[in-house]
Amino acid sequence: MRLVQGNEAVAEAAIKAGCRFYAGYPITPSSEIMHFMARKLPEVGGIFVQMEDEIASLAAAIGASMAGMVSMTATSGPGFSLMQENIGYTAMTEVPVVIVNVMRAGPSTGIPTAPSQGDVFQAMYGSHGDYPVIVICLADVLDSYLLTARAFHLAEKCRTPVVVLSDEIVGHMRESVTLPEIESIAIDENGKAERPEMPVIGRDPDVYYTGLASEDGRVISDLDEYDRLIKRLYRKIGGVASCKIENGDADTILFTYGSTYRAAKAVIKVADVGIFKAETLNPFPERELRKVAKKASRIIVPEMNVGKVVKEVERVVYGSCKSCEVISVATHRRIDPFTILEAVEMAGRV
Amino acid sequence: MSVQTCQSHLLVAKSDRFEIRLAGRGGQGLIKMGLILAESAVREGKKVIQLQSYGSEPRGGLSKSDVIIGDVDYPGILKLDVLLSLDQQAYDESLSLLKLGSLIIFDSDMVKPKLLAGVQHSIQFTRIAEELRDRTCANSVALGYLVAVTGIVEKETVEEVMAESMAGKFPREVVEINLRAFNRGYAEGYARNHDRSTLLQKVHYMC
């Protein structure tokens, strides 16, 4: 057992999963990821670059990925806003890259550094156009390790951007954990992944990447073809939705994602509730949520924002099950077990 | 929360956890002490969560480091078992988080105590540190005292972690003075350990 910080676990998992390129610009509460990569990447023959801003950071990570490297960047809200254009670009060009956003209170500079879950919709829908992006939520230090590793594997498999959402609480907490071994993406001595199906700069002749809609190396403008392209992009991430359910037969279910999960874990000891822990927000774990909603009377959604993911929950639950009530617990303070307990008790009384 | 419900009390009562807050001003080195305490607990096989304040606090404002040992489901303070404070404002702001019958340790040169139900220990950490060398090692004196009165971790484990975490970053004499300061604090705490038995019971029950 070791004492490991959430951000350090993210960085450690990245290197173990095969990441050999990091480009970033420091910002609290994500900076420890960058510190770790600056120290450790050179030791494993990787490349670390501090860029001039977050636009360039993601651009560099995408470029490295086009050249065959497993690459990432990490930031917080203000930097994540700057990265939006390039997130669409990497989705359209189908280049694998992992982007970590350790959320803090926004908008704009907001409160450096208070925790928040305000960026969830931006992570899911931030860039323009219809594009697939996998969004993974980290609940604690072990998640930071295991799910970050999964993010890299999913990015490779689906050839798509993966956004890893952490927050100030998860990123900065230190916890006693035993970190298991994780599988690495196959990389050669130069730190490059094989990627036989992908054009790689420096390996293949005449590589041309463009943000224009294109299929099989041709730029397309036919809308039927475009429709097929976008639907194909979405199909790639179709099967990766992930969640964990505890005590799923309970009458009251706490729908959690990210750091609210651990507050719910304390509540489950004193109240007869179940926990639905969403590990991906995009794709949304709809099928599992529907199953839970059919048995439960109410689903409580605690989140550290104005109430965002609750809208997704309502869409899924009310679309299939009219008898289950969805209750939002939205606050900009930390979600502690007392806050959730109060909501559980109030709901029970009505 | 304004009104504490029955279940909230139950939640605190059912949690077998020991919550310690080290609070003071940025620069007093309490975050470092929190890290050493947490690392020591991990080495003894205990489950631990360590949290610290971020923001402008580490540069002169309020600074706090929370160490939770035992039942670590929720990564935050439910109710404090021990508050160690080297600053008045840090002391005042943490009072609402105290559990009934908790232990409060404070530097009597820095903090004017309030009338409370808990057990309060006043020690001149900073003055002791100045006797040893200068006030920069007051944090180590305080940690020594806390370890002695709570028995939450073994003295030897902390010494080992302290020496390791400072080696290479500070000159050897600085490491040595901090170890001496820790031992001096421990001796002070050991001499006043009449409250230790009750705290120890909880610690042993939990671990």
Side-chain angles (χ1 to χ4, degrees):
Chain A
M1 215 161 50
R2 285 194 288 145
L3 191 68
V4 184
Q5 194 199 37
N7 279 341
E8 286 170 0
V10 166
E12 197 174 324
I15 291 179
K16 284 195 178 154
C19 175
R20 291 294 178 272
F21 184 92
Y22 183 100
Y25 187 82
I27 180 169
T28 318
S30 76
S31 297
E32 290 85 359
I33 299 174
M34 191 164 177
H35 297 161
F36 190 98
M37 294 307 247
R39 271 199 316 274
K40 300 286 180 185
L41 265 184
E43 290 176 13
V44 293
I47 298 170
F48 170 89
V49 200
Q50 175 167 337
M51 301 301 291
E52 69 269 30
D53 61 27
E54 289 86 347
I55 301 173
S57 299
L58 182 52
I62 294 169
S65 187
M66 286 171 172
M69 298 192 93
V70 179
S71 71
M72 76 175 291
T73 184
T75 186
S76 185
F80 194 58
S81 288
L82 294 180
M83 289 179 180
Q84 291 310 312
E85 183 191 3
N86 275 329
I87 290 176
Y89 179 73
T90 186
M92 190 53 135
T93 52
E94 299 182 64
V95 173
V97 68
V98 172
I99 303 137
V100 181
N101 175 6
V102 187
M103 292 183 281
R104 72 184 208 191
S108 191
T109 312
I111 305 178
T113 305
S116 166
Q117 295 182 316
D119 304 352
V120 280
F121 276 1
Q122 188 186 31
M124 293 158 81
Y125 312 116
S127 200
H128 64 274
D130 289 339
Y131 68 100
V133 58
I134 297 170
V135 178
I136 291 179
C137 292
L138 309 180
D140 52 28
V141 176
L142 192 60
D143 259 13
S144 298
Y145 183 77
L146 295 175
L147 295 186
T148 301
R150 194 193 293 173
F152 279 94
H153 285 278
L154 287 175
E156 288 297 315
K157 189 176 142 226
C158 305
R159 280 182 60 189
T160 187
V162 179
V163 173
V164 176
L165 280 181
S166 180
D167 68 40
E168 191 276 333
I169 296 172
V170 177
H172 279 161
M173 73 190 251
R174 286 185 178 81
E175 198 171 3
S176 51
V177 282
T178 307
L179 301 179
E181 278 309 307
I182 45 180
E183 196 191 334
S184 173
I185 293 159
I187 49 170
D188 65 15
E189 67 276 13
N190 296 317
K192 295 196 175 182
E194 273 187 19
R195 295 179 183 162
E197 75 296 344
M198 186 178 144
V200 172
I201 296 168
R203 182 191 70 188
D204 304 323
D206 303 327
V207 176
Y208 172 52
Y209 275 107
T210 173
L212 286 165
S214 53
E215 202 61 295
D216 303 324
R218 288 174 301 111
V219 171
I220 57 172
S221 54
D222 178 77
L223 291 184
D224 288 336
E225 223 177 337
Y226 168 71
D227 183 57
R228 282 197 295 276
L229 163 67
I230 298 298
K231 282 178 180 160
R232 180 180 65 74
L233 295 183
Y234 272 87
R235 267 201 309 280
K236 291 196 299 181
I237 68 163
V240 309
S242 166
C243 64
K244 273 202 180 125
I245 299 165
E246 294 166 41
N247 197 19
D249 294 329
D251 201 38
T252 301
I253 300 290
L254 306 172
F255 181 98
T256 69
Y257 59 94
S259 61
T260 56
Y261 168 69
R262 292 286 292 260
K265 282 289 276 183
V267 172
I268 202 169
K269 278 198 200 136
V270 292
D272 184 22
V273 294
I275 300 179
F276 188 101
K277 176 194 180 222
E279 291 185 336
T280 58
L281 288 180
N282 222 9
F284 203 67
E286 299 182 12
R287 197 183 310 154
E288 297 298 324
L289 182 57
R290 241 178 250 130
K291 269 191 226 160
V292 167
K294 285 202 172 120
K295 284 183 273 181
S297 298
R298 65 188 72 89
I299 294 176
I300 298 174
V301 189
E303 42 187 340
M304 264 189 302
N305 52 38
V306 290
K308 286 180 167 162
V309 172
V310 67
K311 292 172 184 164
E312 288 286 295
V313 176
E314 280 172 352
R315 173 179 67 79
V316 173
V317 172
Y318 291 153
S320 61
C321 179
K322 298 281 184 281
S323 62
C324 182
E325 186 190 7
V326 178
I327 299 165
S328 171
V329 179
T331 170
H332 293 92
R333 290 169 300 169
R334 278 168 191 254
I335 302 267
D336 59 25
F338 302 126
T339 313
I340 299 178
L341 253 185
E342 200 176 39
V344 171
E345 289 186 332
M346 291 287 283
R349 263 187 229 129
V350 183
Chain B
M1 209 176 71
S2 52
V3 183
Q4 291 258 315
T5 57
C6 290
Q7 268 183 312
S8 301
H9 287 300
L10 196 64
L11 194 140
V12 175
K14 271 201 175 179
S15 301
D16 298 333
R17 48 161 54 201
F18 199 74
E19 301 185 348
I20 301 166
R21 168 165 290 180
L22 313 175
R25 292 260 145 209
Q28 286 178 324
L30 289 170
I31 286 183
K32 178 78 182 163
M33 292 304 114
L35 281 173
I36 290 174
L37 182 60
E39 180 68 44
S40 304
V42 174
R43 287 210 189 168
E44 293 183 0
K46 298 180 170 80
K47 285 189 179 168
V48 189
I49 280 184
Q50 187 268 344
L51 309 149
Q52 61 205 46
S53 57
Y54 272 82
S56 58
E57 292 96 332
R59 295 182 291 276
L62 282 184
S63 159
K64 59 177 190 281
S65 178
D66 297 334
V67 180
I68 304 163
I69 300 174
D71 189 345
V72 291
D73 278 342
Y74 173 60
I77 295 298
L78 295 173
K79 282 283 172 190
L80 283 172
D81 291 277
V82 177
L83 168 67
L84 186 149
S85 184
L86 303 186
D87 178 76
Q88 185 70 51
Q89 199 188 341
Y91 173 93
D92 293 344
E93 285 189 7
S94 297
L95 292 183
S96 64
L97 292 169
L98 288 164
K99 194 180 276 181
L100 202 65
S102 51
L103 170 65
I104 304 154
I105 305 166
F106 60 90
D107 190 321
S108 46
D109 289 336
M110 310 274 184
V111 177
K112 227 180 184 175
K114 303 212 159 112
L115 273 175
L116 292 166
V119 183
Q120 302 209 51
H121 287 194
S122 73
I123 304 92
Q124 293 169 308
F125 294 120
T126 314
R127 203 166 296 178
I128 293 170
E130 280 165 348
E131 279 169 26
L132 285 166
R133 191 174 111 150
D134 58 42
R135 56 172 52 207
T136 56
C137 61
N139 55 351
S140 298
V141 182
L143 182 64
Y145 189 93
L146 184 138
V147 169
V149 294
T150 62
I152 191 81
V153 286
E154 296 297 325
K155 173 172 165 277
E156 292 72 24
T157 319
V158 183
E159 284 175 323
E160 189 184 289
V161 172
M162 188 179 267
E164 274 175 34
S165 71
M166 293 179 79
K169 291 177 194 158
F170 297 94
R172 193 179 297 160
E173 62 266 28
V174 175
V175 182
E176 275 163 15
I177 197 77
N178 274 283
L179 285 168
R180 262 174 56 204
F182 172 77
N183 273 290
R184 177 67 198 281
Y186 189 88
E188 293 280 335
Y190 200 81
R192 268 190 74 172
N193 72 345
H194 54 277
D195 297 300
R196 193 180 174 202
S197 54
T198 50
L199 276 165
L200 270 177
Q201 267 174 5
K202 167 151 192 196
V203 173
H204 285 154
Y205 165 64
M206 197 185 64
C207 297

